[in-house]
Amino acid sequence: MTPTARRAAVLGSPVGHSRSPDLHLAAYRALGLVDWTYDRIECTAEQLPELVSGLGPEFVGLSVTMPAKLAALAFADERTARAELVGSANTLVRTDRGWRADCTDIDGMTGALRAVGVDPTENPTAVLVGAGGTALPTVAALHDTGFTELTIVARDPARAAPVVEVATEVGMAAEVIGFVDGPELARHAGTCGVVVSTVPADAATGLVASLSAAARLVDVIYHPWPTPLAAAVSAAGGRVVGGLVMLLNQAYSQVEQFTGRPAPREAMAAALDTG
């Protein structure tokens, strides 16, 4: 390995499907970092502390996917304020003091919201489907974009409590409704500024009839695509953005933190064929 060679990787389990290597390697080549590498490493939450502690100094950064995002935050020697706010980290960056945790998932969702054409000055209300790990950075992104009112669609109101807590902390008014296809959900979907679905495609299938009224949809899924929900919203005339746009936008910040250089956005977009 040459003196300038650096390594990065994505950690998770399963991780074989990750598109992050496509993005990062395209970025490194465009930046002239020809001896930089980026790998996939199978890693559970329990394995993360020992695995990351054993990495050599040539590792400059790590992307972290499920199920290890909470473990990454807990492991880090320092944390950004936004990672602490949402309680998870998808990024670990080597520093002089160890590893810094960040959550560029917020950047990913912010970029997806821009791409779908939201305008919170005209309609500051949003519907968030799901209350799992992706919901928390989504709340932060909605707030950063300018949304002030949030309806959370969740099977279990108790599970939605952390999402409500983050929304309250950033100053958003939040309510929780049931995971039920019907008039209430259709009313919210049809009158809000954006619907964001953070649940698996099959989990959203039962809500398609109501959510198809959305004028704008961000669906975090990118494979298989389109999801039944995305297809229904598009068929009804709504604007739809999928998970690849979110993946791309979260990777821009990771590349910049790993390399210290501006992300070559066109080269990275071309790597995913998202334009």
Side-chain angles (χ1 to χ4, degrees):
M1 183 172 288
T2 68
T4 58
R6 297 291 183 268
R7 298 183 66 184
V10 56
L11 308 183
S13 184
V15 78
H17 68 283
S18 175
R19 298 293 305 274
S20 291
D22 301 330
L23 289 168
H24 281 259
L25 289 172
Y28 303 159
R29 300 304 173 259
L31 292 171
L33 303 173
V34 295
D35 50 1
W36 283 46
T37 61
Y38 187 99
D39 303 305
R40 297 179 180 90
I41 300 177
E42 284 286 327
C43 177
T44 65
E46 294 74 20
Q47 293 169 331
L48 184 141
E50 181 177 0
L51 190 153
V52 178
S53 295
L55 295 177
E58 69 277 11
F59 275 89
V60 296
L62 300 166
S63 309
V64 183
T65 187
M66 297 303 292
K69 293 183 180 183
L70 299 181
L73 184 72
F75 169 81
D77 301 286
E78 56 183 303
R79 304 162 185 84
T80 62
R82 63 181 185 172
E84 290 186 329
L85 171 68
V86 302
S88 71
N90 74 323
T91 306
L92 290 172
V93 183
R94 176 90 71 176
T95 72
D96 292 339
R97 292 180 288 180
W99 292 94
R100 181 182 70 245
D102 190 24
C103 184
T104 72
D105 283 334
I106 299 172
D107 302 318
M109 182 56 70
T110 301
L113 291 168
R114 286 196 304 266
V116 83
V118 299
D119 186 356
T121 63
E122 292 187 358
N123 189 337
T125 65
V127 171
L128 172 59
V129 182
T134 307
L136 296 168
T138 295
V139 172
L142 287 165
H143 168 261
D144 290 349
T145 305
F147 288 90
T148 59
E149 300 177 35
L150 180 65
T151 298
I152 303 158
V153 184
R155 294 187 189 278
D156 181 1
R159 191 180 179 204
V163 185
V164 174
E165 183 178 345
V166 171
T168 302
E169 187 167 344
V170 298
M172 298 181 74
E175 65 170 331
V176 181
I177 65 173
F179 208 88
V180 179
D181 203 20
E184 182 182 26
L185 180 57
R187 175 175 59 83
H188 283 290
T191 59
C192 71
V194 68
V195 171
V196 180
S197 177
T198 65
V199 299
D202 57 351
T205 300
L207 305 180
V208 166
S210 294
L211 294 177
S212 62
R216 291 175 178 82
L217 169 71
V218 174
D219 192 329
V220 303
I221 303 300
Y222 63 80
H223 182 75
W225 186 262
T227 64
L229 174 58
V233 172
S234 181
R239 297 183 63 176
V240 177
V241 162
L244 279 180
V245 175
M246 182 179 174
L247 180 70
L248 180 61
N249 278 273
Q250 65 82 29
Y252 293 151
S253 182
Q254 285 187 342
V255 166
E256 290 173 354
Q257 292 187 59
F258 293 179
T259 68
R261 304 186 190 183
R265 298 190 173 208
E266 291 186 5
M268 294 173 69
L272 288 188
D273 296 322
T274 63

